[in-house]
Amino acid sequence: RDERRAILERLVSVEVFERFLRRTYLGQKTFSLEGCDALIPMMDEVVHQVGEAGVPEVHIGMAHRGRLASIMHTVGRPPESILAEFEGQVEHVDDGEDHADGEPYAAAGDVKYHLGAEGTFKSRAGRSVHVQLAANPSHLEQVNAVTEGGVRATQTIRANPIAEHDADRDRKST
């Protein structure tokens, strides 16, 4: 009963967010979940299970539909920062690089549903799982290869002159 109630509360939260975006930003593309709302509780369950198994991080690659809801609900980005992008405000990110053109790093000339995000998800047992949603600046499914490459890069040891794959890392990251 508690699990069903938690799933219902999650679905209601997703629907409220989606409905707010549609009504407040009429005419702007949001690529809502419409009909795929169960994606969020399903992603929650996957991250909970891998967290319980001791996996420290999860890399997600997905198309545009449902990205904003996923960024907010699964990755954990605050709704205020997502709404600020709809209002034309962009957070200035201090990435240590000098941007001569004066453009904030986060803007990168891309739209909000193309950008990636990362955050921390707490599993039911209280374990922290780092969640990374890969950027998808293409209307094609190129994000799959980008995500796989990102995971492989995470599993590569670069401490030696010759890079090598850490086979043990395969069991710790999905």
Side-chain angles (χ1 to χ4, degrees), residues 82-155:
I82 294 171
L83 298 178
E85 289 182 13
F86 277 98
E87 298 295 331
Q89 302 167 9
V90 179
E91 292 181 30
H92 290 263
V93 176
D94 182 11
D95 61 354
E97 293 184 26
D98 182 25
H99 298 282
D101 59 4
E103 282 293 309
Y105 174 73
D110 223 333
V111 292
K112 57 195 136 300
Y113 46 84
H114 283 178
L115 301 175
E118 55 186 281
T120 303
F121 188 97
K122 291 283 186 193
S123 73
R124 286 184 285 267
R127 291 188 175 160
S128 294
V129 179
H130 179 78
V131 179
Q132 183 174 356
L133 178 67
N136 186 13
S138 170
H139 290 281
L140 304 173
E141 289 302 318
Q142 299 304 316
V143 70
N144 300 331
V146 170
T147 304
E148 289 175 23
V151 170
R152 179 61 183 208
T154 299
Q155 296 172 340

Side-chain angles (χ1 to χ4, degrees), residues 6-12 14 33 36-48 73-74 121 124:
I7 291 171
L8 177 61
E9 288 174 1
R10 195 67 158 163
L11 288 170
V12 169
V14 170
L33 279 170
C36 301
D37 299 12
L39 175 69
I40 301 299
M42 288 185 333
M43 287 186 359
D44 288 351
E45 186 60 29
V46 168
V47 178
H48 279 301
H73 291 91
T74 304
F121 188 97
R124 286 184 285 267

Side-chain angles (χ1 to χ4, degrees), residues 29-30 46 55 59-60 73-74 110 128 134-135 165 171:
K29 288 184 182 179
T30 61
V46 168
V55 175
H59 294 249
I60 301 171
H73 291 91
T74 304
D110 223 333
S128 294
H165 183 251
R171 288 179 234 115

Side-chain angles (χ1 to χ4, degrees), residues 1-9:
R1 180 180 166 109
D2 290 340
E3 185 179 351
R4 286 186 291 195
R5 183 179 303 249
I7 291 171
L8 177 61
E9 288 174 1

Side-chain angles (χ1 to χ4, degrees), residues 160-173:
N160 302 323
I162 298 175
E164 54 187 280
H165 183 251
D166 180 359
D168 188 44
R169 192 91 200 244
D170 282 345
R171 288 179 234 115
K172 297 178 189 169
S173 181

